[in-house]
Amino acid sequence: MNGGKQHGSESSSPLGLLKGVLPRRRASVLPGFRLAMGFTLVYLLLVVLVPLSTLFWKSSSLGWAGFWQAVSSPRVVASYELTFGTALVAAILNAVFGLVVTWVLVRYRFPGRRLVDALVDFPFALPTAVAGITLTALYAPNGWLGAPLERLGVKVAFTPLGITLALTFIGLPFVVRTLQPVLESLDPEVEEAAASLGASRLQVIARIVLPALFPAWLTGFALAFARGLGEYGSVVFIAGNMPMKTEITPLLIVIKLEQFDYPAAAALGLAMLVMSFVMLFAINLVQAWGRRRHVAAGR
């Protein structure tokens, strides 16, 4: 009787009611959750949040008028247009040709396939400055590839076309490595079943393959686009760095730092951060919509 009364009093107490409302956290099979979570939060604080907070702190010393002047001058706006435009074009090219490369690597067996697969990761291993110097030497007006293109009236080095080429080079692995595991997990028997039911090859690709690949495809596009926005080493050599023509925003930030104009450099970095975040957030919304659509179609 006393035990029942004690249990009833505990369940009617505020603490007992709170325990009844809140869901119980299941015991994890792996120990050390609190330690691992604490390490994660401290690591993110030191590596991500603190550096980003310095952008706000340094740029705030300019005041609103000085900040707006630093991020909206004609030279800076021209660098925005060049940086975002070339990064977008390069990401689109990588999305198209990266899908083709992934399809060949996954669905076909041919001599040298492993070598080609390893070469996809070459831009990851190659220092960006070395890539920039190599591309500049190849596509300069007197280079192996630049000279014949120059005779055809196509100038690559020291033009926006050269910047797009460099960004395409460094962004391809992001698309291929994002699509490859998804395409490998896609059962070819589903495509064969659709073909046996009378679907053409184009219908199989448009209604089965591409919808399954779309979320990963968009993720690879976003990664290549984000990498292109912040790329410096492989672009600075082939761009020519002509103000209002081939000058990218990361180079302007470096120029401000060399001039010890730290608030202006922080303002440019903050502007790039906000614009990049907005565009990537929009891409993530489209990606989430694609996933919901794919799940709804699967039902």
Side-chain angles (χ1 to χ4, degrees):
M1 182 67 67
N2 293 334
K5 291 182 179 179
Q6 183 178 0
H7 177 73
S9 60
E10 287 181 356
S11 60
S12 60
S13 65
L15 183 60
L17 294 175
L18 187 61
K19 290 181 179 180
V21 173
L22 293 179
R24 294 183 178 179
R25 185 173 65 87
R26 295 182 179 179
S28 176
V29 178
L30 298 176
F33 168 77
R34 294 181 179 179
L35 179 62
M37 178 58 72
F39 174 79
T40 301
L41 294 177
V42 172
Y43 184 81
L44 290 177
L45 177 67
L46 295 177
V47 176
V48 179
L49 296 181
V50 171
L52 292 181
S53 63
T54 57
L55 292 177
F56 293 90
W57 175 63
K58 274 291 183 181
S59 59
S60 64
S61 62
L62 292 172
W64 174 248
F67 176 83
W68 181 252
Q69 183 179 1
V71 301
S72 63
S73 65
R75 182 179 177 181
V76 173
V77 172
S79 72
Y80 292 154
E81 295 174 353
L82 179 66
T83 302
F84 281 87
T86 53
L88 180 61
V89 173
I92 293 174
L93 291 175
N94 281 324
V96 174
F97 294 105
L99 177 61
V100 176
V101 172
T102 307
W103 185 271
V104 171
L105 291 176
V106 174
R107 291 302 174 88
Y108 299 105
R109 298 294 180 268
F110 54 90
R113 173 178 169 272
R114 292 187 177 181
L115 177 61
V116 175
D117 190 31
L119 286 177
V120 171
D121 294 328
F122 189 64
F124 282 152
L126 188 67
T128 55
V130 176
I133 295 173
T134 304
L135 292 174
T136 305
L138 286 175
Y139 289 97
N142 57 349
W144 290 352
L145 299 177
L149 290 174
E150 186 82 12
R151 289 192 291 269
L152 296 175
V154 180
K155 188 176 181 181
V156 179
F158 317 126
T159 64
L161 179 59
I163 299 174
T164 304
L165 177 67
L167 296 182
T168 304
F169 173 77
I170 58 99
L172 179 64
F174 291 95
V175 179
V176 175
R177 294 311 181 208
T178 305
L179 283 173
Q180 193 169 8
V182 180
L183 187 58
E184 288 176 347
S185 63
L186 189 62
D187 193 354
E189 294 182 358
V190 178
E191 304 170 36
E192 296 173 359
S196 65
L197 294 175
S200 64
R201 189 59 180 169
L202 183 60
Q203 290 176 328
V204 171
I205 293 176
R207 298 187 178 183
I208 296 178
V209 177
L210 290 183
L213 295 179
F214 182 74
W217 196 14
L218 195 59
T219 300
F221 168 82
L223 291 174
F225 177 69
R227 174 62 189 276
L229 290 178
E231 181 61 24
Y232 175 79
S234 63
V235 176
V236 68
F237 295 100
I238 199 171
N241 309 322
M242 293 178 286
M244 305 294 293
K245 293 182 180 180
T246 60
E247 192 176 49
I248 58 174
T249 306
L251 176 62
L252 273 180
I253 296 176
V254 173
I255 291 175
K256 296 294 184 183
L257 291 175
E258 291 176 347
Q259 295 173 349
F260 301 101
D261 192 358
Y262 300 125
L268 290 177
L270 181 59
M272 286 289 293
L273 176 66
V274 172
M275 289 187 288
S276 302
F277 178 79
V278 170
M279 297 193 70
L280 292 177
F281 181 72
I283 292 174
N284 287 332
L285 290 179
V286 177
Q287 184 181 7
W289 169 80
R291 286 174 177 168
R292 290 195 299 268
R293 185 179 179 184
H294 178 65
V295 171
R299 292 178 181 176

